[in-house]
Every structure is written in C-alpha cells, then in structure tokens.
Amino acid sequence: MTHSPPPAPPPPPVRRLTVLYDAGCPLCVQLRGWLARQTQRVPLDFVPAGSAEARHRFPRLDHRATLEEITVIGDAGQVYRSEAAWITCLWALDAYRATAHRLSTPAGLPLARATVLAAAKLRAARTGGKGPNGCAEGRCVPGHGAGA
C-alpha cells in the first residue's frame, strides 16, 4: 500500500501589507490617499517605490519594476503585482473584500486586468508618457531622473 505525502502546510495568514506606490505619480498618490482613508481589515503601510526605505525593507525586490506597477508585499514575504496587487489592496479593505473575491475569480480577473490597464493609460496621459521625475517609461530611480 502506498502512502500519500502529508499535505502542504497552509500559507501563513496575512496580518499586514506594504503598498509600494510611485510617489512621483499624481494618480498613484491620489489612490494611496483613497486606500489610506478606507477602513482596513488588514493594515496597509505605504512606502514610496524605489525609496531608500523600500530598498532597505525589501532588498531582494526589483525596485525599478516597482516604479512601473503597483507592488504589494505581505508580512510573510508574499509579493503581488499589477492586478493581483490591486485585488489584494481591495481585499484588505473592510467595504471591498467581497469585491476583491469577485475580481479574483476567472470571470472577474479580466475586469481587474482592464482596470489596471486603464489606470496605466491614465497615468501615462497625466505624466506625458513619462514616469517619476520626468523619466521615460517610468524607468527611473528617484533622484536620478531628468528632474533630479
């Protein structure tokens, strides 16, 4: 008789999330403010992407990539990017947890993806297609771009 291996342990619960956001992007700053004003089931900490604090707290992350798309890190090291990051932010909010669950389904994921793409286009339109500090395609580290 063959014994099956023991089941994998469940993932650790998420007790706190860190949202890395582009502090040089007006839309990103507005969305950060909106998230901060909501009642949170899971506390959200906000850290500017590419900052010294972000680099210190998360040395293994690709910090250039965090300037291009929202990145959320769980307290157990989970990393969420793009639409998964937005869904995770909504999941952390008391009033939007059910919405996050709907968006995380196969039927809801295309809407989440489309929303993230629309936000990226709006961000590009507001910044003239340039990222933080006037850098092309948002690929600059703060303090090293055209506006530095």
Side-chain angles (χ1 to χ4, degrees), residues 23-147:
C25 163
L27 176 63
C28 304
V29 171
Q30 284 179 328
L31 290 171
R32 175 226 178 269
W34 179 82
L35 287 168
R37 289 189 300 275
Q38 305 305 305
T39 302
Q40 300 169 6
R41 279 193 190 183
V42 175
L44 297 173
D45 296 325
F46 301 95
V47 176
S51 67
E53 180 181 357
R55 290 174 187 284
H56 174 74
R57 289 175 67 174
F58 309 107
R60 294 187 179 124
L61 276 182
D62 176 354
H63 290 278
R64 285 184 171 276
T66 66
L67 285 166
E68 294 178 23
E69 62 183 0
I70 183 173
T71 303
V72 175
I73 299 103
D75 56 348
Q78 311 92 323
V79 178
Y80 308 93
R81 288 186 166 81
S82 195
E83 66 268 11
W86 280 114
I87 291 169
T88 301
C89 285
L90 291 175
W91 174 83
L93 303 178
D94 194 50
Y96 295 91
R97 183 160 283 195
T99 300
H101 284 291
R102 284 192 299 276
L103 289 173
S104 68
T105 66
L109 212 46
L111 176 60
R113 225 174 260 126
T115 302
V116 168
L117 289 173
K121 287 182 181 181
L122 180 60
R123 177 184 182 201
R126 284 186 168 188
T127 60
K130 297 183 184 278
N133 301 319
C135 302
E137 300 175 24
R139 297 179 186 268
C140 295
V141 176
H144 294 90

Side-chain angles (χ1 to χ4, degrees), residues 1-5:
M1 183 170 167
T2 307
H3 294 286
S4 59

